[in-house]
Amino acid sequence: MKILAIESSCDETAAAVVENGRTVLSSVVATQIDEHKLYGGVVPEIASRRHCENITGVTDEALKNAGLTLDDIDAVAVTNAPGLIGALFVGVNFAKGIAAAKNIPLIAVHHIKGHIAANYITHADLEPPYMCLVVSGGHTHIVKVNSYTELETVGRTTDDAAGEAFDKAARAMGFDYPGGIHIDNASKTGDKTKYKLPRPATKGEYDFSFSGLKTAVINLVHNAKQKGEEVDINSLAASFSYTVADMLTDKFIAAAKEYGYNKIALAGGVAANSVLRSVLSQRAEKEGMKLYIPTISLCGDNAAMIGCQGYYEYLEGNIADMSLNAYATKKLHML
Ligand code: KG4
Ligand code: ZN
């Protein structure tokens, strides 16, 4: 079964063709980052406009790269939540148009479920149940993946998402948006013990809080500036990366133990972070847990992961109709 998948929830317009869930025939991502960079973050109205301009070309390219036409496509899957509402609507309406014109099933995909599904493309042997840590620009969740389509959140951030904390700390350090990758690169030559950063506590056992940590970085940089002192940015980046990676890893491993999982996975844009990948891998090995991490190219937003999750939604009979709506927020366990 060949699914054409569309993703437009934030600042990437993406289309992919995925066969039987796990075989990616093509995947095209048009990023808008260079334009949003000018404003230090994603400007929703600009994102919607660029999606409108790019979506047809990106979809044509995905079909062409797969050596197919729309007549070869069996279903169309689209991210309909969560994300920027105007951006989501572009993808949803485009997908509806294709489904109606070609009389093929329309499948709605939750963006976070898509991120988790990136692991199925990377790892042929991965099947639910397992526990997943989803870390992106908008989300930080510990999720029980009970089946391909039934997921349950057991912990989440109470303020900033991990990626948001990376981007805001990066801005204070003088890096362009999105700064996660720049902190990652800078941390490679830094001394992680040079700066001591706080690890904010939370009420919920498996919840996270990054706002205090982000503020600590901003204050450290501002105070140094006022005193005319130099900040060793590489060491601050290393310290920040290890603090975030340790906070995420400690709670995630504790949750996996509590709920009895020895199969765990990582997903989302921040899953590309080299420090997090290494700290979590080491802990998982020590605990005798099998860890699955998506290949770097599938960590950030893409449509291949949406096509993969779309396939499993289809098998479950989760087919949408022309009343399909887009939602800026949506709980993971809701269809
Ligand atoms: O999943 P994603 O592409 O979009 C959302 O659904 O939010 O995640 C984007 C986030 C951004 O905050 C970006 O800075 C972060 O992922 N990110 C990273 C790295 N690569 C991307 N954060 C830390 N280290 C990286 N290497
Ligand atoms: Zn995402």
Side-chain angles (χ1 to χ4, degrees), residues 111 115 136-138 163-164 166-167 178-181 184 268-270 272-273 299-301:
H111 185 75
H115 272 300
S136 73
E164 201 180 343
F166 263 101
D167 294 341
I181 178 84
D184 197 350
V270 184
N273 184 264
C299 290
D301 289 347

Side-chain angles (χ1 to χ4, degrees), residues 220-247:
L220 191 151
V221 173
H222 285 177
N223 289 343
K225 252 190 207 153
Q226 277 174 350
K227 291 184 199 156
E229 290 169 4
E230 276 285 307
V231 177
D232 174 355
I233 293 294
N234 292 358
S235 295
L236 184 57
S239 184
F240 180 82
S241 303
Y242 276 91
T243 304
V244 173
D246 286 343
M247 283 167 70

Side-chain angles (χ1 to χ4, degrees), residues 137-153:
H139 303 91
T140 304
H141 287 263
I142 295 177
V143 177
K144 282 164 75 179
V145 184
N146 300 333
S147 75
Y148 286 107
T149 53
E150 196 217 315
L151 292 81
E152 221 178 304
T153 303

Side-chain angles (χ1 to χ4, degrees), residues 24-325:
V24 180
L25 301 183
S26 66
S27 177
V28 178
V29 181
T31 182
Q32 312 169 356
I33 280 175
D34 279 345
E35 197 170 355
H36 296 293
K37 205 183 262 179
L38 304 172
Y39 306 95
V42 178
V43 183
E45 178 58 24
I46 293 178
S48 309
R49 286 177 186 220
R50 296 298 166 260
H51 287 310
C52 289
E53 287 161 13
N54 293 336
I55 200 156
T56 308
V58 165
T59 304
D60 281 348
E61 199 179 329
L63 287 166
K64 194 173 122 224
N65 292 353
L68 302 171
T69 71
L70 269 185
D71 292 334
D72 305 308
I73 298 298
D74 302 302
V76 56
V78 63
T79 306
N80 78 318
L84 301 172
I85 192 68
L88 286 165
F89 269 127
V90 178
V92 167
N93 286 322
F94 187 78
K96 273 188 190 178
I98 293 175
K102 291 293 168 186
N103 198 21
I104 53 177
L106 174 69
I107 307 160
V109 175
H110 191 293
H111 185 75
I112 295 182
K113 287 186 180 177
H115 272 300
I116 294 171
N119 278 295
Y120 301 133
I121 299 171
T122 307
H123 306 285
D125 63 320
L126 177 61
E127 282 175 18
Y130 58 95
M131 182 166 262
C132 189
L133 173 67
V134 188
V135 275
S136 73
H139 303 91
T140 304
H141 287 263
I142 295 177
V143 177
K144 282 164 75 179
V145 184
N146 300 333
S147 75
Y148 286 107
T149 53
E150 196 217 315
L151 292 81
E152 221 178 304
T153 303
V154 300
R156 63 194 309 160
T157 182
T158 52
D159 41 55
D160 292 347
E164 201 180 343
F166 263 101
D167 294 341
K168 288 176 179 166
R171 192 175 181 166
M173 293 181 208
F175 295 117
D176 273 348
Y177 173 86
I181 178 84
H182 301 304
I183 290 192
D184 197 350
N185 291 336
S187 70
K188 290 184 175 131
T189 50
D191 169 9
K192 65 174 179 176
T193 61
K194 186 161 174 177
Y195 297 103
K196 284 264 166 299
L197 294 171
R199 294 177 186 206
T202 51
K203 272 199 203 136
E205 208 175 350
Y206 302 122
D207 286 340
F208 300 100
S209 168
F210 294 107
S211 163
L213 170 62
K214 167 199 73 185
T215 308
V217 170
I218 295 170
N219 289 344
L220 191 151
V221 173
H222 285 177
N223 289 343
K225 252 190 207 153
Q226 277 174 350
K227 291 184 199 156
E229 290 169 4
E230 276 285 307
V231 177
D232 174 355
I233 293 294
N234 292 358
S235 295
L236 184 57
S239 184
F240 180 82
S241 303
Y242 276 91
T243 304
V244 173
D246 286 343
M247 283 167 70
L248 289 168
T249 299
D250 285 350
K251 290 219 172 173
F252 181 39
I253 297 286
K257 278 184 178 171
E258 162 80 21
Y259 288 97
Y261 290 91
N262 62 7
K263 195 156 75 167
I264 57 173
L266 182 63
V270 184
N273 184 264
S274 60
V275 174
L276 178 58
R277 288 169 91 95
S278 125
V279 168
L280 184 55
S281 299
Q282 282 170 26
R283 271 296 289 283
E285 199 182 328
K286 203 171 135 215
E287 302 289 345
M289 293 175 180
K290 172 100 174 107
L291 171 67
Y292 295 85
I293 302 182
T295 187
I296 298 264
S297 62
L298 289 171
C299 290
D301 289 347
N302 66 86
M305 67 188 195
I306 303 303
C308 176
Q309 182 61 26
Y311 176 72
Y312 291 106
E313 298 291 347
Y314 177 84
L315 293 186
E316 207 43 48
N318 297 333
I319 312 293
D321 60 28
M322 286 300 139
S323 69
L324 180 67
N325 212 340

